[in-house]
Amino acid sequence: MTRSLLPFTQFVVKVHSRCDLACDHCYVYEHADTSWRARPKVIGDEVLAKAAERIGAHAAEHGLAVVRVVLHGGEPLLAGPDRLRRAAGEFRAALPPGCALDLRIHTNGVLLSPAFCELFDREGIKVGVSLDGDRAANDRHRRFADGRSSHPQVLRAVGLLRRPEYRHLYAGLLCTIDVENDPVAVHDALAELEPPAVDFLLPHATWDQPPKRPAGLGSTPYADWLLAVYDRWEEAGRPFAVRTFESVHRTRHGLSSLTESLGLEPAALVVLETDGSFEQADSLKTAYDGAPATGLDVFTHSLDEVARHPGMAARQLGLDGLGATCRACPVVRSCGGGLYAHRYRSEGGGGSFDNPSVFCGDLMTLINGIADRGEPLPGPGVPTQAGERVVPAGLTDRQLDELARGHGGTDTVRALVRSQLALTRAMLAAVRSTSGLRSSAAWDLLAELDSAAPAAVDAVLGHPYARAWAARRLAGDPAAGLGPLAELAAAAAVRAGRGDQVAVPVRAGALHLPTLGRFVVGAAAGEALVTGGAGAGFTVRTPDGETVTVAGGPADPRWQPVRRIRPAGGWTLALEDTDPQRDSHQWPVADRLDDAELMAWSGGLREAAELLDRDLPAYAQGLRAGLTTVTPLRAGPPGRDVSAAARQAFGAVGIARPATAPILALLLAHEFQHVKLGAVLDLMDLYDQTDTTLYDAPWRPDPRPIEGLLQGTYAHLAVTAFWGTRTAIYDGLPGVAAEHARAQFALWRRYTAEAVERLAGSGSLTAAGLRFADGMRETVSPWLAVPLPRAAEQAAREAREARRPATAG
Ligand code: SF4
């Protein structure tokens, strides 16, 4: 059978081939393969340069959106800062436009210093540290050659990575399992270090050299050990990511594995040694002397040639590459025969990988054990392609707590903005690959601009409705064509001001440039040519052949730019009334605003912004950092204020202009709560995704699913805060407005407090969700103690009995 070549996406680059520890479980120095003895200690300049060139060419040839390079060893820090800086620079410079570099280093931590961390910060290198658990666990193997413990040095290294200034560099911990260590103590020792992720690694072994199975620990000690960790991890609310456990969850639901040691995904990893030779996975060093060798090297062979090497190809065959026992196994989709190296058995000198894993019984018990525990579906992240989900960098505990209390300051909301931008990029890349767009001019231009003019690309991809379109497209919406990709590329090109020319389809009689505006061409269909110019100037050649200077020349009434309102304090809000993708909210959008409506919106938004700054400054900070777009909606039924956020349109709220600026401020604050919470839910599970229970939401007559209850509660924190400030402003004053404010405050504080307790008691919240509920409670509780006149409480009671909230909820 002929198989198409699968590109490598992960490159393990040995930058130093010696180590300052002498761990007795190390697969490099303590197993069958001894090739390290003949290799240079440090990777040379020529090898680095050639490796970068090969990887860059491979990424360009296969249109890779991202490659991961892991700087490895031996101990890579022994290579020294200059060599590591050079490596980062070489790899980054060699990648083609549109291909991101995920650069990491795996270290034992002994030499990690602030100077190294500064370097990694500048070069964007994330750090994984090897640590086997508490001191007793770590000392069992991870010692210096003279027998000294390395534990204090490793803790010091992790301490550095946990400092606020370096925390973003902390990729996680790598823990090699020893079943004689106490699994709960190991879990707890690692959890104490707050790693974003922990990889639990089975010790390397083959059928010739089976893993130790101490007497008294049963027949599947590795499964039992991992399941004990799993139970502790669950009990603690999954404090960090564990690829092994998450891969079992995912593969049981038909999704891909996250680790090469489980599942049927083809191997996409190659190792480069310090002398420039290519090798297969390091784990093969445990099989026999020379097992990982390919005989290929970076100076003579391309990465495509390496991918065709029989040893590599064997690791890309999925089910076809497994022996008969595995192929017939009921858990093969989750297990995949385990790590390739663990299947090795020498048979009369020949040797074969056509066996189940030497950990077979353990793997089966682990997978069934996790299944028996009733794992939830994978939750956070956004779907991209073929069941993949992308979860961008998360929030710190402080940021989560800030958001939980209802608001979230500038840096917290900016973290959400960054994560949403990363998701939009990933979704666009998925649109490209699922739509067979290898040679798309629009994509190529976007990718090139991403490197040459990243601010221009960020501006268009940060447009809320770019993601809304990508989500529709990925969900298979037949109405979501590929036109918007060209529109995004054209808008980015105009912003970049380089003179690029882009063909853009005419839709609904207009040419659309997201974030900029639309040009009404009259023709129902066809293609227009957009040519950028200096500054923001550009020309349009219509399908009829007319060339119009649209911006940077005399005003043409057919050009309808996006109008921007600039309330005080440097905030710019787009009033989006041209982009066809804006129709993403649950209410119909308004048409292009006429001058009178525009003036009314402009005045209303300025006043609303002033009110938010003055009365709800904590909420205003987040709004300024994350709300970019207000989309006017059509007016709702008489007496009803209409507003909506859209789950796939971060940064936008839809509002039908209300009668007064204070209500506009209320609607902005209310809807932006949904926007923020949606972005948090893209980063983490706050509740059990399998929960189908409907919960009573105090403000609604119909019961709601858990996410609906959570969203409503969170939005009503802002609503209650708003009425609280109105109550304070009217303190002691008579009049209808004052009484209304007090009654609303009485009503919403009660509703919100009740809903927080319903969430907390639902049994559905994860540990992060419970923490979030605690934060909301912290905000609500003091409101309950604010004394209010009896009339206000009475009005609230009446509204409550009628389940008739007086504002949109
Ligand atoms: S190694 Fe064992 S558990 Fe895994 S697929 Fe093969 S037979 Fe099944």
Side-chain angles (χ1 to χ4, degrees), residues 348-406:
S352 164
F353 292 90
D354 198 17
N355 311 295
S357 167
V358 70
F359 291 99
C360 174
D362 291 283
L363 291 169
M364 192 173 282
T365 303
L366 173 68
I367 292 162
N368 287 331
I370 290 177
D372 289 347
R373 284 160 168 78
E375 79 276 22
L377 283 165
V382 296
T384 55
Q385 56 179 316
E388 294 286 354
R389 299 181 78 84
V390 168
V391 185
L395 296 165
T396 64
D397 289 348
R398 174 188 64 76
Q399 290 169 331
L400 181 66
D401 291 342
E402 258 185 28
L403 287 161
R405 286 194 293 272

Side-chain angles (χ1 to χ4, degrees), residues 16-357:
H16 199 280
S17 70
R18 302 291 189 276
C19 190
D20 45 1
L21 291 182
C23 311
D24 59 11
H25 57 5
C26 175
Y27 51 74
V28 179
Y29 306 113
E30 304 295 335
H31 282 265
D33 183 85
T34 56
S35 54
W36 60 274
R37 292 181 202 278
R39 297 220 158 91
K41 279 187 186 168
V42 188
I43 194 166
D45 287 351
E46 321 73 46
V47 177
L48 265 183
K50 195 68 191 172
E53 183 192 321
R54 293 285 190 199
I55 292 172
H58 194 66
E61 169 68 19
H62 295 278
L64 302 179
V66 60
V67 296
R68 174 176 288 186
V69 175
V70 182
L71 305 175
H72 213 281
E75 169 47 46
L77 294 184
L78 287 172
D82 291 344
R83 181 74 17 173
L84 297 176
R85 184 183 305 110
R86 186 180 185 96
E90 293 274 11
F91 290 121
R92 187 156 284 112
L95 289 183
C99 180
L101 176 63
D102 174 3
L103 189 55
R104 290 163 187 251
I105 191 163
H106 284 179
T107 171
N108 62 30
V110 168
L111 291 177
L112 193 71
S113 63
F116 270 123
C117 290
E118 288 297 322
L119 169 69
F120 297 156
D121 184 29
R122 283 194 301 277
E123 300 294 340
I125 305 175
K126 298 212 165 207
V127 186
V129 178
S130 299
L131 176 65
D132 290 350
D134 56 351
R135 175 149 190 169
N138 205 61
D139 283 359
R140 198 182 286 277
H141 302 287
R142 307 192 63 80
R143 291 174 174 275
F144 290 94
D146 61 6
R148 275 180 303 130
S149 165
S150 65
H151 192 249
Q153 285 91 333
V154 185
L155 286 195
R156 187 194 43 75
V158 175
L160 263 180
L161 292 171
R162 291 171 67 200
R163 284 191 196 167
E165 63 269 36
Y166 303 132
R167 176 90 203 176
H168 61 289
L169 303 174
Y170 189 11
L173 302 172
L174 297 101
C175 170
T176 300
I177 300 166
D178 187 310
V179 288
E180 290 183 290
N181 290 330
D182 176 344
V184 171
V186 167
H187 172 281
D188 290 356
L190 299 180
E192 216 169 277
L193 303 178
E194 298 180 307
V198 175
D199 269 346
F200 291 103
L201 310 170
L202 289 169
H204 288 309
T206 65
W207 286 101
D208 291 358
Q209 292 190 326
K212 71 175 178 183
R213 298 189 184 279
L217 290 185
S219 59
T220 56
Y222 293 90
D224 301 342
W225 195 94
L226 276 166
L227 285 169
V229 171
Y230 183 92
D231 290 338
R232 185 65 167 187
W233 179 68
E234 281 284 14
E235 189 184 294
R238 303 185 181 189
F240 41 76
V242 181
R243 287 196 302 167
T244 301
F245 300 155
E246 284 155 25
S247 293
V248 176
H249 292 160
R250 288 170 61 86
T251 50
R252 283 182 39 75
H253 293 285
L255 304 181
S256 60
S257 169
L258 304 172
T259 163
E260 70 164 333
S261 55
L262 287 173
L264 292 170
E265 270 63 46
L269 177 152
V270 64
V271 178
L272 183 82
E273 291 289 348
T274 52
D275 62 356
S277 54
F278 287 116
E279 295 215 328
Q280 303 178 58
D282 250 1
S283 50
L284 280 168
K285 290 184 189 300
T286 205
Y288 55 91
D289 197 9
T294 62
L296 309 177
D297 71 79
V298 76
F299 296 106
T300 324
H301 303 96
S302 71
L303 282 157
D304 278 6
E305 288 173 288
V306 181
R308 279 192 279 272
H309 180 275
M312 293 290 183
R315 292 168 44 230
Q316 297 199 330
L317 293 175
L319 198 59
D320 292 346
L322 299 178
T325 310
C326 288
R327 288 203 304 275
C329 171
V331 300
V332 67
R333 297 212 169 269
S334 290
C335 175
L339 199 65
Y340 188 67
H342 294 171
R343 294 176 223 158
Y344 181 75
R345 185 198 297 268
S346 66
E347 284 161 350
S352 164
F353 292 90
D354 198 17
N355 311 295
S357 167

